[in-house]
Amino acid sequence: MRAALEQARLAADAGEVPVGAVLVLDGEIIGHGYNQPISACDPTAHAEIMALRRAGQRLGNYRLPGSTLYVTLEPCVMCSGAILHARVGRLVYGACDPKTGAQGSVLDLFGEFTGKVARLNHHCVVTRGVLAAECGALLSAFFASRRAQPRSET
């Protein structure tokens, strides 16, 4: 998670919402990323997507079974879908996202069941709240500094 926090700091330095992610397989970081939707003009350039893309390119396969994704903020629906499609084995996240979190805060995509039957073809083990205070503080500081800046009139 510390490596994901470093990625989040890179996002903040670039003026992006400070979310970072690293994907680990067999104890080695195989993909990393930070939020870049503003600079890339790409709504899909979330930290998780960037890390998954890099890992897939590195391994020559979009499927990443047995890997663990560490991310500083609870993934949204888009990122959760990508995590499922990549067959990531485990997700570890820091801060909860009460506005768009898809791992229990708003939705629980990985917990999709009908009765006792799982409705999705892949399931990912989720660990919540790792270094949550530190991850949340980074986000809070970023948004506090943005609110303190004078707004330009257009």
Side-chain angles (χ1 to χ4, degrees), residues 32-118:
H32 63 277
Y34 58 87
N35 266 8
Q36 301 174 50
I38 297 167
S39 60
C41 299
D42 178 357
T44 70
H46 288 194
E48 301 93 323
I49 302 295
M50 304 308 290
L52 292 169
R53 283 179 184 159
R54 285 192 173 101
Q57 290 166 352
R58 178 175 177 179
L59 299 181
N61 192 344
Y62 76 97
R63 296 232 170 134
L64 306 162
S67 62
T68 299
L69 180 66
Y70 294 86
V71 62
T72 58
L73 182 65
E74 179 181 3
C76 67
V77 170
M78 174 186 68
C79 293
S80 295
I83 291 164
L84 288 175
H85 284 292
R87 307 295 195 265
V88 170
R90 182 173 175 224
L91 166 67
V92 179
Y93 71 82
C96 292
D97 186 345
K99 295 186 178 185
T100 64
Q103 297 307 313
S105 291
V106 176
L107 300 171
D108 187 4
L109 189 63
F110 293 176
E112 254 315 284
F113 291 91
T114 302
K116 295 183 186 230
V117 178

